[in-house]
């Protein structure tokens, strides 16, 4: 099969490698596509703790496709299913996954379905405790931020979306945000005005920077909740503990590490997308063939106007 191999930081090539064999409790999946995740960019860009070349197909972990073979111990009926899966080498024609990490979806579902990424947003929403009538700010409208705007709006909260990019302001509005604010428009003052000075019940930070963390924290009302969905893995952050402490805010770091919780999020994702609570096709802006995967990484790094999410299709 063909698979992408990261041979060195910033260098990727397509190689012919052996198709993996599904082991005990594993299935073989013919990959229809895999999303490029923000966390993949560290591996692509290079960090001192990564060795190269990386395994064939790594770090593709947002796959969907069709089950074509099952290893020993896998219950009958899996072969032929279409599913999203938690796997680790998905930038390839085939990948294997544990049968418990497979979430089937209807065979006739059209379009890309990077299930792990949508599941991540569903898990953030679950931890946010957002309910009907809440005023919610989402700081950062990338793929996860846009999904959270859709999800929060769908449950009857009033959503304020704050983002740097003009394109993302329009998108957030289409996703159901009642108000959209550009980063240059003094978001604190605008939110204070919109909320009569009370600020927000819940603020989701979804951009992963010190500046967006500061802004998000400042928008939380007394006894409100700050939910950190951004990926803050490029060094330590500082926080204004004096202000957090005074307002008595709850702070939730909404990343998950337990695979069974990922899978739970992916199940909610399949239900939400197939039930049309989420509009996923609107958020997949780029589809790139596997042989051109370097371009998909570069798009995700550069985030040109109109970019939200790239998927790679073998
Ligand atoms: Zn991911």
């Amino acid at each position: 099969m063909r698979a992408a191999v990261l041979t060195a930081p910033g260098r990727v090539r397509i190689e012919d490698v052996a198709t993996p064999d599904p082991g005990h409790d594993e299935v073989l999946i013919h990959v229809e596509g895999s999303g490029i995740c923000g966390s993949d960019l560290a591996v692509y860009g290079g960090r001192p703790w990564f060795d190269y070349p990386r395994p064939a197909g790594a770090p593709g972990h947002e796959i969907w496709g069709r089950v074509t073979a099952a290893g020993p111990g896998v219950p009958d009926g899996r072969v032929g299913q279409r599913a999203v899966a938690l796997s680790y080498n998905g930038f390839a024609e085939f990948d294997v996954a544990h049968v418990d990490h497979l979430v089937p979806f209807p065979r006739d579902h059209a379009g890309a379905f990077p299930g792990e990424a949508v599941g991540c947003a569903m898990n953030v929403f679950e931890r946010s405790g957002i309910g009907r009538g809440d005023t919610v700010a989402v700081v950062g409208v990338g793929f996860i931020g846009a999904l959270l705007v859709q999800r929060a709006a769908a449950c009857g909260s009033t959503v304020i979306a704050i983002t740097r990019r003009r394109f993302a302001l329009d998108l957030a509005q289409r996703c159901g945000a009642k108000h959209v604010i550009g980063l240059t428009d003094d978001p604190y003052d605008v939110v204070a005005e919109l909320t009569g000075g009370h600020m927000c019940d819940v603020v989701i930070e979804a951009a992963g920077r010190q500046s967006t963390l500061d802004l998000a924290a400042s928008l939380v009302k007394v006894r409100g909740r700050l939910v950190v969905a951004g990926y803050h893995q490029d060094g330590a952050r500082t926080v204004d503990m004096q202000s957090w402490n005074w307002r008595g805010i709850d702070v939730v770091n909404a990343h998950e590490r337990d695979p069974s919780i990922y899978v739970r999020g992916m199940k909610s994702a399949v239900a939400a997308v197939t039930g049309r609570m989420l509009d996923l096709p609107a958020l997949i802006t780029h589809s790139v063939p596997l042989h051109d995967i370097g371009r998909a990484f570069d798009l995700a790094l550069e985030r040109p106007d109109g970019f939200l999410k790239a998927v790679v299709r073998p």
Side-chain angles (χ1 to χ4, degrees), residues 37 61-62 116:
C37 177
H61 62 271
E62 298 180 352
E116 188 268 352

Side-chain angles (χ1 to χ4, degrees), residues 236-288:
R237 295 284 184 256
T238 57
V239 301
D240 184 352
M241 198 63 211
Q242 187 176 2
S243 167
W244 290 21
N245 181 260
W246 182 254
R247 283 177 287 152
I249 64 174
D250 292 341
V251 180
V252 177
N253 280 281
H255 281 280
E256 305 295 348
R257 287 291 164 264
D258 179 342
S260 68
I261 299 196
Y262 274 117
V263 173
R264 199 171 71 193
M266 287 157 60
K267 285 182 178 157
S268 314
V270 165
V273 171
T274 57
R276 301 192 187 275
M277 179 198 284
L278 296 179
D279 178 8
L280 187 55
L283 309 184
I284 310 282
T285 53
H286 292 71
S287 178
V288 177

Side-chain angles (χ1 to χ4, degrees), residues 6 8-12 36-47 52 164-165 207 209 231 234 285-286 288 293-305 307-311:
L6 278 169
R11 299 184 62 168
V12 57
I36 300 259
C37 177
S39 70
D40 296 341
L41 299 177
V43 188
Y44 179 66
R47 294 288 187 275
Y52 297 84
R164 175 174 56 87
R165 300 186 297 167
R209 296 170 201 276
Y231 195 63
D234 59 350
T285 53
H286 292 71
V288 177
I293 185 171
R295 189 166 68 84
F297 282 125
D298 290 338
L299 280 165
L301 272 174
E302 290 156 18
R303 306 177 68 73
D305 206 35
F307 177 88
L308 208 64
K309 181 80 171 175
V311 296

Side-chain angles (χ1 to χ4, degrees), residues 76-232:
D76 287 346
R78 293 306 210 163
V79 174
Q81 279 185 334
R82 282 181 85 208
V84 298
L86 195 55
S87 74
Y88 302 96
N89 300 308
F91 294 136
E93 287 180 281
F94 291 90
D95 198 4
V96 290
H98 192 284
V99 65
D100 292 344
H101 295 169
L102 201 65
V103 182
F105 61 80
R107 257 167 237 251
D108 58 357
H109 174 83
F113 201 155
E116 188 268 352
V118 184
C120 173
M122 299 303 275
N123 280 332
V124 170
F125 183 77
E126 182 74 31
R127 298 256 317 251
S128 74
I130 290 169
R132 174 169 292 277
D134 281 345
T135 298
V136 175
V138 176
V139 179
V141 182
F143 182 68
I144 298 289
L147 283 168
L148 286 162
V149 170
Q150 288 188 1
R151 185 65 192 80
C155 91
S157 64
T158 300
V159 181
I160 304 168
I162 302 168
T163 178
R164 175 174 56 87
R165 300 186 297 167
R166 169 90 245 151
F167 146 79
L169 290 173
D170 296 340
L171 179 90
Q173 214 147 29
R174 291 199 299 277
C175 287
K178 182 150 187 223
H179 309 281
V180 294
I181 309 172
L183 270 186
T184 49
D185 298 336
D186 293 321
Y188 180 89
D189 293 344
V190 179
V191 171
E193 201 181 308
L194 288 171
T195 59
H198 294 293
M199 308 311 281
C200 302
D201 298 294
V202 181
V203 181
I204 301 176
E205 190 280 333
R209 296 170 201 276
Q210 177 72 58
S211 57
T212 50
L213 180 65
D214 292 341
L215 171 62
S218 75
L219 304 178
V220 182
K221 72 170 193 183
V222 169
R223 265 180 145 263
R225 194 173 309 115
L226 171 65
V227 179
V228 182
Y231 195 63
H232 291 267

